Amino acid sequence: MTKIDIFSGFLGAGKTTLIKKLIEEAFKGEKLVLIENEFGEIGIDGGFLKEAGVQINEMNSGCICCSLVGDFEKALGKVLEDYAPDRIIIEPSGVGKLSDVIKAVQAVVTDKVCLNGFVTVADATKCKMYIKNFGEFYLNQIEYASTIVLSRTQNLSQEKLDAALALIREHNSKARVVTTPWSEISGKNILTAIEGDNSFTEDLLKEAEVCPTCGHHHHDHDEHDHEHCHHDHDEHDHEHCHHDHDEHDHEHCHHDHDEHDHEHCCHDHNGHHHHADEVFTSWGKETAKHFTKEEIEKILSALNDTEKYGFILRAKGIVAGENGEWIHFDFVPKESNVRNGSADYTGRLCVIGSKLNEAALAELFDC
């Protein structure tokens, strides 16, 4: 039996970091395959996962929920045939709708393959901002999750964590929500939360008139007697439950995002179903240009100017620095990280967002 776990989450929420933690702490001994679907022209994330010995199947030309659905089903079927893994981890685009990803995966479900967990990683510091500006996509990931793993909870006071949890619960009252900081909880206990009770996953599939095990659309499930993924609930560890994080109230991550107005809002007020490529665009470049850390930090700070560059949801890159060093950087609204890392064959950078001003971005990065 091959388990399929889908790890969704908005851009920069920490999906890849969580997957790495689970690979190191919870999936040891399992034959794993990771299928990534990056929204953007240039893939950046695959490197360290390859180093962990995980097969990478990157698809960078579009979004899993629209233009790549057919190719995705074919690729997934081939992975099952060629590798016969114990577990397939699917990491879809951060701007993909979880409901569409689930539908794409259902096409390959058989009596030897089961849908195991629909996980959404949500940045607890940005729930309000993303609901306000990108509700159609963000809320879909929340509503269809069987487990929601909150990231960056160590950066919130108890009051703000409670507010984030309340926002999540408004849109999904049944999912298990992991609120414990990741440094304080083991990957095994997170996996226990993910696999603790699959009834919600089955309820979601039944609401769509889809058999939870075979993936076929029908009304009468009586004749479908398939083997399910059975989990042991008795040792469910409450370490992942909602704890008091007052002592983690750090000053460096308390941002007020109310200044992000509705200019970029993609809420659907007319019942229209948007695809990601209707709302989000990406801009990427390969560059041999050398940068200093100070230059990169200045560029990332400038990306918060939504009027000049558009609403930047995510920027990431690997570029050459001085004296043979290489600079790795990540950006989400109001937060950035610049660090030294391993060399690449050339510099690469990618920016994803809404209403991007590509000419201004090219001028900013001088490439």
Side-chain angles (χ1 to χ4, degrees):
M1 174 66 71
T2 297
K3 297 178 180 180
I4 298 181
D5 293 300
I6 303 170
F7 285 80
S8 70
F10 222 54
L11 294 159
K15 297 190 302 294
T16 304
T17 301
L18 177 62
I19 290 170
K20 182 181 180 183
K21 179 179 178 70
L22 291 172
I23 288 171
E24 293 175 346
E25 301 177 12
F27 296 149
K28 287 184 178 178
E30 293 188 16
K31 188 176 182 181
L32 292 173
V33 171
L34 170 70
I35 295 180
E36 290 186 323
N37 169 232
E38 283 285 346
F39 183 93
E41 299 171 1
I42 298 177
I44 305 287
D45 278 339
F48 78 77
L49 290 168
K50 289 178 182 175
E51 294 171 4
V54 179
Q55 175 71 27
I56 306 293
N57 189 347
E58 288 184 316
M59 297 176 288
N60 295 319
S61 59
C63 176
I64 193 174
C65 64
C66 44
S67 62
L68 271 183
V69 169
D71 292 339
F72 174 77
E73 293 172 6
K74 183 178 179 180
L76 186 54
K78 185 168 178 57
V79 164
L80 287 164
E81 180 181 349
D82 291 352
Y83 297 98
D86 299 313
R87 187 186 302 267
I88 294 176
I89 300 170
I90 298 174
E91 183 184 3
S93 162
V95 294
K97 292 182 178 179
L98 179 54
S99 60
D100 289 343
V101 180
I102 292 169
K103 289 176 185 176
V105 174
Q106 286 167 355
V108 301
V109 172
T110 67
D111 58 350
K112 295 181 179 179
V113 180
C114 74
L115 291 171
N116 188 51
F118 308 151
V119 182
T120 291
V121 184
D123 184 339
T125 69
K126 294 181 171 60
C127 293
K128 182 179 179 181
M129 178 182 67
Y130 287 153
I131 289 174
K132 175 181 178 181
N133 291 284
F134 302 101
E136 179 185 352
F137 295 88
Y138 188 81
L139 291 178
N140 182 277
Q141 295 180 358
I142 298 298
E143 291 165 357
Y144 280 85
S146 57
T147 303
I148 298 168
V149 182
L150 295 183
S151 61
R152 299 185 175 91
T153 57
Q154 75 276 10
N155 298 328
L156 291 180
S157 64
Q158 183 69 54
E159 180 182 2
K160 291 188 176 182
L161 178 60
D162 288 343
L165 190 59
L167 281 173
I168 295 292
R169 284 303 187 199
E170 282 181 23
H171 301 280
N172 190 330
S173 61
K174 295 182 179 180
R176 295 170 298 283
V177 181
V178 178
T179 63
T180 303
W182 297 0
S183 62
E184 299 177 16
I185 185 172
S186 70
K188 288 184 178 180
N189 280 322
I190 294 175
L191 182 60
T192 297
I194 293 170
E195 297 189 333
D197 177 5
N198 241 15
S199 61
F200 182 51
T201 301
E202 295 180 5
D203 287 345
L204 285 172
L205 296 175
K206 288 176 181 177
E207 284 178 11
E209 297 182 348
V210 174
C211 175
T213 54
C214 74
H216 295 147
H217 292 262
H218 54 77
H219 296 277
D220 184 0
H221 303 290
D222 293 339
E223 60 187 271
H224 292 268
D225 185 14
H226 302 295
E227 180 182 354
H228 289 256
C229 285
H230 294 288
H231 308 298
D232 185 356
H233 316 309
D234 294 337
E235 58 185 29
H236 186 81
D237 193 322
H238 292 280
E239 180 182 345
H240 68 274
C241 293
H242 190 184
H243 296 304
D244 186 341
H245 305 295
D246 282 345
E247 69 273 20
H248 299 288
D249 187 6
H250 301 306
E251 63 180 5
H252 62 277
C253 276
H254 286 192
H255 306 298
D256 185 355
H257 304 294
D258 289 342
E259 70 270 15
H260 293 281
D261 58 29
H262 289 278
E263 178 184 352
H264 304 278
C265 180
C266 75
H267 281 288
D268 186 355
H269 302 291
N270 298 311
H272 178 66
H273 177 88
H274 293 96
H275 289 301
D277 53 8
E278 294 179 87
V279 178
F280 304 101
T281 56
S282 66
W283 174 84
K285 291 289 183 182
E286 292 187 345
T287 177
K289 178 179 169 62
H290 286 63
F291 296 84
T292 66
K293 282 188 176 181
E294 291 74 21
E295 287 173 334
I296 292 296
E297 288 169 352
K298 185 177 179 180
I299 288 170
L300 298 184
S301 178
L303 292 180
N304 288 299
D305 186 343
T306 58
E307 291 187 3
K308 186 171 184 178
Y309 300 106
F311 198 119
I312 311 299
L313 288 165
R314 186 82 160 101
K316 63 199 318 186
I318 303 169
V319 294
E322 299 177 316
N323 303 319
E325 70 178 8
W326 281 76
I327 301 169
H328 293 219
F329 66 83
D330 294 278
F331 169 93
V332 293
K334 299 297 182 181
E335 291 182 38
S336 60
N337 177 267
V338 180
R339 62 200 181 277
N340 289 335
S342 58
D344 209 336
Y345 64 87
T346 190
R348 294 184 291 161
L349 48 94
C350 183
V351 178
I352 302 173
S354 177
K355 301 181 180 179
L356 297 185
N357 185 334
E358 296 188 7
L361 289 169
E363 182 179 354
L364 179 65
F365 282 95
D366 191 23
C367 62

